[in-house]
Every structure is written in C-alpha cells, then in structure tokens.
C-alpha cells in the first residue's frame, strides 16, 4: 500500500479521495444500459469533479527535459477541490496523442494537455520560442494531432494573430522580418495561430484569452480539453487566469471542503505500517485517505490524512499522534528543529 516511485511524485500526484462522485464525462445511461455521450457544449458547462493531465514531449521521455508543470497542476487541482485522476506522459506521436485525448475527454471532466518545458522567453519575444507542442516547427504537432483526433479543421484564428502582432516583436536574428511579406518565418508564426475549431460551435468558447498581457490563448477542444504552452511561466500564468472561469463549475471552489492534516513522526515506516493499514481501512468509508512518506536523510517521516469530513478527521488527531509517537505540523520540516538541536548538542 505504501510502495512508491518517489516521495515527490506521490506527494504531489496522489489523487484525492473518491468523494462519492464519478466523472460526468462518463455520460448518462438509458434504462437498457446504453451510454448517452455528452456533447461538447455539455462538457464545457457541467460541474467539474475529475481532472487529467497529458504531458507531450520526446524531450521528457528522453530525459532531456524535467517536467515541472504537472506538479504545479497537481497542487492547482488539490486547492480547487478537483480530483486529479491521472498524469500521463507520451511522446510526439500523432496516433498516441489522439488516443490519449479521446480517452481522457471521455473519462474526465477537465483535461490539461501541454508539452515539454522550455526556457522562459523575454516578455516581448514569446513568439520566437517553441512553447511546447504548439510552436512553429515540424515537431510541434499538438494542435494538428488533437484536431485530427476529433475531425476538426485547423483554422487561422484572427484574434490570436492580431494579438501576436501587437504583443510580440521579431527575434534579433529576424531583422528583415515583415508580417506583410511571405517568408518561411511568417509561415512558422502563422502555424501557432492555426487552432482546432469546431465550426458548429461559438468560437469564443473554444479560444480563451485569460491574460491580457499574453497573445497566447488556451485552445479548448471537445468542451473539456485545454491546450496550454509548456513554458512554466506561461503555463502557471494561464492556469491562474483560467481559475475564475472554473470556480462556478466546482463543488468546492478554492479547495473549501477538502482538507489535509500532516503529522511528523520519528518512527520508521515499517514500524507504523501495521497501524496505518488498519487506519486506512477504518477511514476509507468516510472518504478519507491515509498517506505515509519517508524523508530520506532526516530522522522524521510524515503521515497524512486527506478528506472532506473535517470534524471526523480532527477527531482522529489525538489517536494518530499517540500511535505514531508524532505531532501534528503545518509543514513537514516544522518538527525538524528538535532534530537539528539534537545534532548540535
């Protein structure tokens, strides 16, 4: 139960408890069991309970780029009370991208897809860099792959192009660049403004400008797939800008009703494993999850409770502190002070 790939991954990507909700994405069923698939409009308006994240990039799979955005997204989901169900990493392969977005769109309510992390651009030079799978070069295939997955055309989005012209300037290496003169550089820039568009729906709900300082939009496909750039600064800035549009669709906006209680214990995981296994079985019917996390190089480890029933969780604090010989803390390192004093004595 307490096996892990790494402490950080578990701490950030562990899903929230099942609060009794299944994804609305799964669709309703008729009396004879046939699924009624929701429309794109339904997906764009319904309440959000579950989320998924697709990381696209050969750079990540090859070890060249270390993904940081998925960790940020995991925290983002927790604070908003969304149950992040899956983080998936795939390469720059059109078929794999298409399969992943179709599957996640069907299974989860809110999906973010983005590609590898790239260096932060200068404020006025965003258009000169690759920003994930939506950049200007041949290997930036996210838009085209997702468009193909849902049988949508790629259309030059005029508002995106206007903002690109207004908020960006040519790279120093492009001294002779002109928006009015055909060139390979112009073709590459226009590629970033060609978005998957469902012509049967209002474009405004498919292309979201959530930050007036950026020309980069959030492209929304099939009502619940949100395509973001991979540059960490842009990724976090656009997610923050998207928050006001998500809050009305959340059961527990701003994380209200979702709680985490953290304990610090000097006991080894193997020493508390039996107790925690019994505790996990006891609290599961209440929608509470128990976590155990080693802290390599430190004398104290961490135990967590995550759930909705605050009063019930608070009632467990005294027995947990006693059973693990620990103390409740706000941050993992809060109880390390006594350890440091012990080392110095």
């Amino acid at each position: 139960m307490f096996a892990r790939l790494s402490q950080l991954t578990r701490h950030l990507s562990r899903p929230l408890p099942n609060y009794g909700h299944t994804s609305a994405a799964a669709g309703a069923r008729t009396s004879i069991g046939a699924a009624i698939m929701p429309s794109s409009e339904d997906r764009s308006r319904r309440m959000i309970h579950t989320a998924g994240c697709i990381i696209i990039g050969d750079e990540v799979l090859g070890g060249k780029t270390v993904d940081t955005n998925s960790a940020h997204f995991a925290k983002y989901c927790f604070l908003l009370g969304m149950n992040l169900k899956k983080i998936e990493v795939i390469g720059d392969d059109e078929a794999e991208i298409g399969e992943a977005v179709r599957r996640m769109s069907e299974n989860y309510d809110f999906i973010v897809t983005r590609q590898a992390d790239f260096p932060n651009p200068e404020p006025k030079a965003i258009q000169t860099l690759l920003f994930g799978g939506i950049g200007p070069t041949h290997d930036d295939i996210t838009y085209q792959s997702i468009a193909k997955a849902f049988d949508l055309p790629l259309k030059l989005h005029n508002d995106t192009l206007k903002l690109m012209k207004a908020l960006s300037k040519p790279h120093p290496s492009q001294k002779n660049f002109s928006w009015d003169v055909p060139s390979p550089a112009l073709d590459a820039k226009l590629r970033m403004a060609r978005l998957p568009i469902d012509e049967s729906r209002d474009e405004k709900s498919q292309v979201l400008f959530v930050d007036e300082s950026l020309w980069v939009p959030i492209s929304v496909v099939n009502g619940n797939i949100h395509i973001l750039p991979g540059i960490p600064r842009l990724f976090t800035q656009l997610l923050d800008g998207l928050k006001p549009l998500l809050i009305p669709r959340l059961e527990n906006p701003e994380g209200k009703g979702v709680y985490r209680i953290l304990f610090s214990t000097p006991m080894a995981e193997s020493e508390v494993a039996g107790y925690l296994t019994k505790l996990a079985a006891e609290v599961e019917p209440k929608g509470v999850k128990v976590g155990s996390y080693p802290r390599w190089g430190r004398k104290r480890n961490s135990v967590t409770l995550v759930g909705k029933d605050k009063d019930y969780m608070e009632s467990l604090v005294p027995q947990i502190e006693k059973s693990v010989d620990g103390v409740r803390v706000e941050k993992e390192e809060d109880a390390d002070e006594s350890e440091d004093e012990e080392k110095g004595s």
Side-chain angles (χ1 to χ4, degrees), residues 274-304:
Y275 166 71
L276 294 180
T277 299
K278 293 179 181 177
L279 178 65
E282 175 187 331
V283 302
E284 184 178 12
K286 293 281 192 176
V288 177
K289 281 195 172 184
V290 179
S292 174
Y293 306 94
R295 301 180 63 225
W296 307 115
R298 309 298 299 192
K299 291 184 178 180
R300 305 185 73 89
N301 296 320
S302 298
V303 172
T304 62

Side-chain angles (χ1 to χ4, degrees), residues 115-329:
Q115 212 166 355
D117 300 341
F118 292 88
N120 285 333
E122 293 300 318
K124 293 289 285 183
I126 293 173
Q127 86 291 352
T128 67
L129 297 174
L130 312 183
F131 47 101
I134 51 180
T137 62
H138 70 283
D139 57 348
D140 297 300
I141 62 172
T142 297
Y143 280 155
Q144 70 187 53
S145 300
I146 295 178
K148 184 175 180 179
F150 294 98
D151 296 320
L152 299 175
L154 283 176
K155 290 183 59 179
L156 184 63
H157 191 255
N158 289 326
D159 287 345
T160 298
L161 181 58
K162 288 177 183 177
L163 287 171
M164 186 189 297
K165 290 179 178 180
L167 298 178
S168 63
K169 64 180 181 179
H171 189 272
S173 66
Q174 299 174 314
K175 295 179 180 179
N176 297 321
F177 174 80
S178 171
W179 291 103
D180 301 316
V181 178
S183 67
L186 177 60
D187 291 341
K189 296 178 190 296
L190 294 180
R191 193 169 188 262
M192 295 186 287
R194 290 192 173 94
L195 310 178
I197 297 294
D198 183 344
E199 296 175 314
S200 68
R201 300 180 58 222
D202 181 9
E203 273 193 15
K204 290 184 179 180
S205 65
Q206 301 178 68
V207 185
L208 307 178
F209 294 98
V210 298
D211 190 311
E212 62 183 14
S213 69
L214 301 173
W215 65 261
V216 185
I218 297 177
S219 176
V220 184
V221 177
N222 207 38
N224 62 353
I225 299 168
H226 298 71
I227 308 172
L228 275 72
I231 299 171
R233 180 176 65 81
L234 297 184
F235 182 81
T236 57
Q237 198 169 337
L238 289 173
L239 271 184
D240 288 344
L242 184 62
K243 189 183 297 184
L245 301 180
L246 299 180
I247 285 178
R249 298 169 57 199
L250 300 175
E251 181 184 21
N252 299 304
E254 301 298 339
K256 295 176 181 177
V258 181
Y259 304 97
R260 177 186 280 131
I261 298 179
L262 179 64
F263 302 88
S264 178
T265 172
M267 299 176 71
E269 274 200 304
S270 57
E271 189 68 23
V272 299
Y275 166 71
L276 294 180
T277 299
K278 293 179 181 177
L279 178 65
E282 175 187 331
V283 302
E284 184 178 12
K286 293 281 192 176
V288 177
K289 281 195 172 184
V290 179
S292 174
Y293 306 94
R295 301 180 63 225
W296 307 115
R298 309 298 299 192
K299 291 184 178 180
R300 305 185 73 89
N301 296 320
S302 298
V303 172
T304 62
L305 293 180
V306 177
K308 285 182 63 178
D309 193 334
K310 185 178 181 181
D311 290 339
Y312 175 65
M313 292 166 63
E314 291 287 350
S315 74
L316 298 171
V317 170
Q319 67 148 293
I320 294 175
E321 288 183 321
K322 180 178 180 180
S323 298
V324 303
D325 190 25
V327 293
R328 180 176 180 173
V329 293

Side-chain angles (χ1 to χ4, degrees), residues 9-188:
T9 301
R10 284 191 55 197
H11 223 329
L12 296 179
S13 65
R14 176 180 292 230
L16 296 178
N18 182 352
Y19 301 140
H21 297 296
T22 56
S23 170
R29 290 189 173 273
T30 65
S31 58
I32 59 174
I36 302 175
M37 298 309 296
S39 67
S40 297
E41 287 297 328
D42 293 335
R43 287 188 173 94
S44 68
R45 296 174 180 174
R46 66 190 172 200
M47 296 295 288
I48 298 173
H49 301 298
T50 59
C53 179
I54 304 173
I55 303 158
I56 305 169
D58 289 343
E59 299 91 339
V60 176
L61 293 176
K64 177 180 178 293
T65 298
V66 177
D67 169 62
T68 60
N69 290 339
S70 58
H72 177 84
F73 185 62
K75 293 178 181 179
Y76 181 87
C77 289
F78 184 87
L79 291 174
L80 290 178
M82 290 186 283
N83 190 351
L84 179 59
K85 301 292 286 185
K86 179 171 289 190
I87 297 174
E88 189 167 325
V89 184
I90 57 178
D92 296 309
D93 181 277
E94 187 176 87
E96 288 196 1
I97 294 171
E99 186 279 328
V101 295
R102 285 193 299 267
R103 170 168 40 82
M104 284 210 185
S105 183
E106 181 177 343
N107 291 339
Y108 309 129
D109 300 320
F110 176 66
I111 300 95
V112 163
T113 179
R114 28 76 66 225
Q115 212 166 355
D117 300 341
F118 292 88
N120 285 333
E122 293 300 318
K124 293 289 285 183
I126 293 173
Q127 86 291 352
T128 67
L129 297 174
L130 312 183
F131 47 101
I134 51 180
T137 62
H138 70 283
D139 57 348
D140 297 300
I141 62 172
T142 297
Y143 280 155
Q144 70 187 53
S145 300
I146 295 178
K148 184 175 180 179
F150 294 98
D151 296 320
L152 299 175
L154 283 176
K155 290 183 59 179
L156 184 63
H157 191 255
N158 289 326
D159 287 345
T160 298
L161 181 58
K162 288 177 183 177
L163 287 171
M164 186 189 297
K165 290 179 178 180
L167 298 178
S168 63
K169 64 180 181 179
H171 189 272
S173 66
Q174 299 174 314
K175 295 179 180 179
N176 297 321
F177 174 80
S178 171
W179 291 103
D180 301 316
V181 178
S183 67
L186 177 60
D187 291 341

